[in-house]
Amino acid sequence: MTGMQILFLITSAVVLFSSIMSVTAKRMIHSALWFVLALLGVAVVFAMLEASFFAVVQVLVYVGAIAILIIFATMLTRRALEDKGDQFNRATLVTLVIVSIIFAGLVVSLKSWAPLQNLTSPLSAEQLNVGVLGLALTAPDGFTLPFEVTSILLLAALIGAIYVAYERKEKKK
Amino acid sequence: MNFIYDPVPWVINWLTQLLLGWGLPINLVNTLLYLVGAVLICLGAMLFTTMLIWAERKIGGRFQDRLGPNRVGPWGIFQSIADMLKIFTKEYINPVGIDKIPFNLAPILAVAAVLAIWAVIPFSETVFGANINVALLFIIAIGGLGEMAIILAGFGSNNKYALLGAFRAVAQLISYEVPMVIVLLIPVMFSGSMGLNEIVQAQKIPFIIYAPVACVIFFICSIAENGRAPFDLIEADSELVAGYNIEYSGLKFGMFFVADFLHAFTSAIVFTTIFLGGWQGPGVEQMPVLGGAYMLIKTLVVYFLMLAIRFTLPRFRIDQMMALNWKILTPLALVTLLVTALVDKSIPHEMTLVRIGALVIVNVLLWLLADRMITAYRKRNPIQVVTGKARPLARPEILPVVEKEAAQ
């Protein structure tokens, strides 16, 4: 077993444990913090795959922005700091069944997926260049359409946020 | 390879040969050397901080017509060491009802988030920690970890003032990240890379000449990211008692303190690397060790400028600070990015003088535009003077006649 594999096992264990804890923790804010740990673990996995761009973006977007947003939202809820409510509700059983079916399906289909059968070779310096990613996003035969659609979606979200937060003049008076 | 011209790679080379001579595998040797380098950089940075704290207090004293520390050692130079020893011996107070793990993790994360930036800084052409190709993004992402530390401190302390302070601090830090990230795209555009080594190598002429407005915006934002005056709302004694670190004592408070001072110096380093050409200077090709000296001199000049601003300007109010960010800096950063991209792309890079001239003219125009914007904004929203009713003071002309006569 190489050092890389040991590192991978430790990271995966941390990610799995913190994901489970983020679902089962009693206090909401603890769930949010466990979730942050899981996201950081995923960033470490990216770094071990030599995808440094994705590792950094994972930390930047998820830990730097989304996790903090979630924590803010959690603290705005009712009794966020001392909430010790029930972790289960009526939908738990149904959700469990659906999730297990999806998980089993994923395992079965991934097991027969060819690229997972053998080890992939390390990425070359050419493939690690961030410029390649940028070109793929803007080239006509690349992912231009999804990229632009995402931009429009984000723009719509921005405008929506401004509309919701906008203080109307006549209401003020 | 010569020791005098380039000492650090010489030592690394010598150590590698020595360890390989002992029969260690090459992977292990590399790992060991990286570990040694990381420990040395962290240790150096932390020890350097004690001197920084002394220098900052001394310079601050001079700015404000005081003496600054002057008791321990010549010119008070050992004051920080005495303070450090005092902080080591102070009691750890764990308030009732704290959340143990976040409370204790926060100071560590705060220091780590600053030290991690040092890993990607090129100190000279041959001396750098990790040469990753997304170093700029890395620096911003690590800033996100610093925000996480503040949130953990605010939440873990189980104190409403700490929580409010943390929210306010994070709101400030996240807001000022927006124009900063937009402006950072300009050096990336000029050098065609996000790696700091490539960015420095592209600066035969520093980027401050190509993009002065972007440079100023970045400078303002990095002061705000440090949370220093005039943006020192993170610690507001009169409003929040202290801030997110109110419940900390002893060494844990010391960690936040060290993180604060080290962050200020680190952002001076980052500014030097991105806009002032880092280790570039005359004669670095023959003698790479000169690069380190140039870097240090430039960084100290920038740091001195930050101190001058810190110790002379009064602070903003929170709404003024947010208005400055969202109504002035962010639109200006967006316009600067667009205009710089258009102008820079339309002029061939071989015509260096024409390119610089066009960019400088455009930047001056942008600056005038920003000035007009601020003036127009001030006209629309005149400063409201918030004062109470004028209260009678014990001035002689207000005193009753009887007392006046008695006084005479």
Side-chain angles (χ1 to χ4, degrees):
Chain A
M1 198 185 271
T2 62
M4 222 42 169
Q5 280 168 323
I6 296 171
L7 259 181
F8 176 74
L9 283 181
I10 294 172
T11 320
S12 321
V14 169
V15 171
L16 285 179
F17 180 71
S18 46
S19 321
I20 292 168
M21 285 307 287
S22 78
V23 180
T24 55
K26 280 220 169 107
R27 292 171 76 172
M28 256 204 285
I29 194 80
H30 283 168
S31 306
L33 294 179
W34 280 114
F35 180 57
V36 172
L37 190 60
L39 293 172
L40 275 177
V42 175
V44 174
V45 173
F46 274 131
M48 284 196 300
L49 289 171
E50 296 187 12
S52 54
F53 180 75
F54 287 106
V56 170
V57 166
Q58 172 86 10
V59 176
L60 179 64
V61 173
Y62 283 95
V63 179
I66 290 182
I68 288 180
L69 195 73
I70 288 176
I71 290 174
F72 266 50
T74 314
M75 292 207 182
L76 288 177
T77 54
R78 214 158 24 99
R79 285 185 291 148
L81 294 177
E82 70 258 30
D83 206 356
K84 289 197 173 165
D86 201 5
Q87 287 126 298
F88 300 100
N89 60 11
R90 282 178 302 151
T92 307
L93 203 65
V94 186
T95 319
L96 192 67
V97 171
I98 296 174
V99 165
S100 341
I101 291 171
I102 293 176
F103 185 69
L106 270 177
V107 168
V108 168
S109 58
L110 280 180
K111 252 194 162 173
S112 55
W113 194 40
L116 275 186
Q117 301 306 316
N118 37 20
L119 282 175
T120 48
S121 55
L123 292 174
S124 64
E126 182 70 17
Q127 286 166 309
L128 283 174
N129 193 353
V130 183
V132 177
L133 182 72
L135 281 180
L137 284 179
T138 50
D141 53 341
F143 298 91
T144 316
L145 192 64
F147 182 67
E148 291 301 330
V149 169
T150 317
S151 321
I152 291 172
L153 189 67
L154 286 177
L155 186 67
L158 265 178
I159 294 172
I162 291 170
Y163 179 78
V164 169
Y166 189 69
E167 198 178 343
R168 279 171 195 78
K169 285 271 157 55
E170 61 268 19
K171 249 188 190 173
K172 218 171 166 184
K173 283 169 191 171
Chain B
M1 206 179 280
N2 198 316
F3 178 75
I4 299 181
Y5 287 129
D6 207 3
V8 177
W10 189 87
V11 171
I12 292 173
N13 200 22
W14 176 75
L15 267 178
T16 316
Q17 296 305 328
L18 183 75
L19 289 176
L20 282 179
W22 289 356
L24 295 176
I26 183 87
N27 281 341
L28 188 65
V29 171
N30 280 339
T31 314
L32 272 179
L33 285 179
Y34 268 116
L35 265 181
V36 170
V39 168
L40 277 182
I41 283 189
C42 290
L43 207 63
M46 298 286 268
L47 287 177
F48 192 55
T49 311
T50 55
M51 275 346 273
L52 276 183
I53 293 174
W54 171 76
E56 178 152 357
R57 290 178 62 187
K58 198 77 187 169
I59 296 170
R62 294 297 177 185
F63 270 117
Q64 296 176 341
D65 201 12
R66 298 182 276 118
L67 284 177
N70 59 353
R71 294 285 144 183
V72 193
W75 315 294
I77 201 165
F78 298 126
Q79 183 66 49
S80 320
I81 294 169
D83 287 348
M84 201 171 69
L85 290 178
K86 185 200 82 172
I87 234 168
F88 276 132
T89 55
K90 279 179 89 167
E91 184 190 356
Y92 291 109
I93 298 173
N94 283 337
V96 180
I98 55 162
D99 213 323
K100 279 260 166 54
I101 296 173
F103 184 80
N104 290 315
L105 193 64
I108 301 170
L109 207 58
V111 175
V114 181
L115 280 179
I117 295 179
W118 287 60
V120 295
I121 302 282
F123 295 101
S124 82
E125 195 175 0
T126 46
V127 183
F128 47 81
N131 185 19
I132 55 176
N133 58 359
V134 285
L136 268 189
L137 271 185
F138 176 84
I139 289 175
I140 300 161
I142 287 297
L145 277 188
E147 285 153 21
M148 205 68 224
I150 292 178
I151 286 236
L152 286 181
F155 158 70
S157 300
N158 189 27
N159 180 318
K160 288 198 169 55
Y161 287 114
L163 195 60
L164 278 176
F167 275 172
R168 192 152 116 173
V170 171
Q172 170 182 343
L173 297 184
I174 287 187
S175 303
Y176 273 85
E177 249 174 31
V178 174
M180 191 160 111
V181 172
I182 295 172
V183 149
L184 276 182
L185 287 176
I186 289 175
V188 172
M189 210 158 62
F190 284 149
S191 62
S193 167
M194 278 193 283
L196 283 180
N197 281 21
E198 286 81 1
I199 287 179
V200 174
Q201 256 146 18
Q203 296 185 68
K204 287 278 181 269
I205 302 163
F207 286 158
I208 185 171
I209 294 169
Y210 289 122
V213 171
C215 183
V216 170
I217 294 176
F218 182 77
F219 188 68
I220 294 172
C221 291
S222 57
I223 292 177
E225 288 282 310
N226 291 337
R228 304 213 131 186
F231 302 98
D232 56 345
L233 292 140
I234 288 176
E235 285 181 41
D237 301 351
S238 52
E239 300 144 33
L240 297 167
V241 187
Y244 62 91
N245 51 16
I246 177 172
E247 292 288 0
Y248 286 88
S249 65
L251 200 55
K252 287 178 204 161
F253 175 75
M255 298 276 266
F256 281 120
F257 198 66
V258 164
D260 181 34
F261 279 89
L262 194 58
H263 195 181
F265 189 72
T266 310
S267 53
I269 294 183
V270 172
F271 182 81
T272 309
T273 314
I274 297 173
F275 282 105
L276 294 185
W279 44 258
Q280 292 272 17
V284 277
E285 257 117 62
Q286 291 82 41
M287 213 166 156
V289 71
L290 270 181
Y294 289 137
M295 178 103 183
L296 188 65
I297 292 168
K298 287 175 189 173
T299 308
L300 287 178
V301 170
V302 174
Y303 187 63
F304 188 78
L305 199 61
M306 282 182 169
L307 289 190
I309 290 172
R310 177 183 177 186
F311 285 107
T312 45
L313 290 183
R315 73 189 329 185
F316 281 116
R317 225 167 44 214
I318 181 100
D319 59 322
Q320 292 169 336
M321 194 186 70
M322 287 297 174
L324 173 70
N325 179 48
W326 291 110
K327 293 180 180 165
I328 295 163
L329 289 183
T330 310
L332 185 63
L334 278 170
V335 174
T336 311
L337 175 67
L338 285 179
V339 170
T340 311
L342 283 178
V343 171
D344 192 52
K345 204 71 184 172
S346 58
I347 298 169
H349 285 194
E350 291 75 45
M351 303 156 71
T352 316
L353 274 181
V354 180
R355 185 181 169 214
I356 291 177
L359 281 172
V360 167
I361 290 169
V362 161
N363 272 286
V364 169
L365 286 179
L366 277 173
W367 195 249
L368 291 177
L369 179 80
D371 187 55
R372 291 309 312 159
M373 259 166 54
I374 297 172
T375 320
Y377 174 74
R378 268 285 145 260
K379 265 196 189 136
R380 263 184 288 120
N381 309 292
I383 297 173
Q384 291 173 347
V385 181
V386 188
T387 51
K389 207 166 54 180
R391 281 176 298 183
L393 295 172
R395 285 196 301 256
E397 65 266 24
I398 313 177
L399 289 177
V401 185
V402 188
E403 285 179 32
K404 237 183 215 174
E405 280 165 1
Q408 281 165 4

